[in-house]
Amino acid sequence: MNPDGTAPVDNPFFAVGSSMGGEVGDNLKLVFAYGLRNSFGMAFEPRTGLPWITQHGDDTFDEINRVFPGMNGGWVQVMGPLERIAQFKEIETTFFLPPEPFPSLQQSRWPPSQIVNTPREALARMFMLPG
């Protein structure tokens, strides 16, 4: 975002937002990256100016990621490396935290039964912005 609150013309989704117009388009022009989750820490790399963020999973796959322009972090369909979807699903559907009688996934709106079974299925479910 520019100091005056406007979107930089070199933002990854500026052109898409401009073509859409309206409030949605104006907001989309401001998007640098999306699909990021539970980011409690951020630092900027001095050499490139790109951000690094921490992302925290419910019980698994905390991450430290360099955020690139236009990045789609995959949330909520992907948590951790795409090739480890099966491991993530196993952890979230079999581990229990006593004294609670439910799987350890903390979000009741996204129960473990909705976790995909394959990387291909995760990619097919992901929201993707044009460009």
Side-chain angles (χ1 to χ4, degrees):
M1 187 179 296
N2 292 320
D4 66 357
T6 60
V9 295
D10 63 345
N11 248 18
F13 304 105
F14 188 89
V16 173
S18 294
S19 69
M20 291 178 75
E23 185 178 354
V24 172
D26 287 344
N27 288 330
L28 192 54
K29 290 190 285 187
L30 293 167
V31 174
F32 182 79
Y34 64 104
L36 308 174
R37 64 186 161 109
N38 298 334
S39 300
F40 295 110
M42 178 185 286
F44 291 89
E45 187 175 324
R47 194 178 77 232
T48 66
L50 289 174
W52 285 79
I53 62 169
T54 60
Q55 296 186 83
H56 303 282
D58 292 316
D59 301 306
T60 57
F61 300 125
D62 290 348
E63 303 173 10
I64 299 174
N65 291 307
R66 186 173 174 192
V67 180
F68 293 93
M71 175 182 168
N72 180 351
W75 177 256
V76 67
Q77 295 299 330
V78 177
M79 291 174 258
L82 189 60
E83 63 275 5
R84 292 174 68 183
I85 288 279
Q87 182 184 13
F88 170 71
K89 187 166 187 170
E90 179 184 1
I91 290 168
E92 294 298 344
T93 58
T94 59
F95 286 68
F96 293 83
L97 298 174
E100 305 301 331
F102 52 83
S104 55
L105 188 65
Q106 298 170 15
Q107 298 184 28
S108 60
R109 71 183 192 281
W110 186 256
S113 60
Q114 292 192 33
I115 298 171
V116 298
N117 294 305
T118 66
R120 179 183 219 151
E121 187 180 0
L123 290 172
R125 285 189 186 179
M126 282 175 55
F127 173 76
M128 302 289 237
L129 286 170

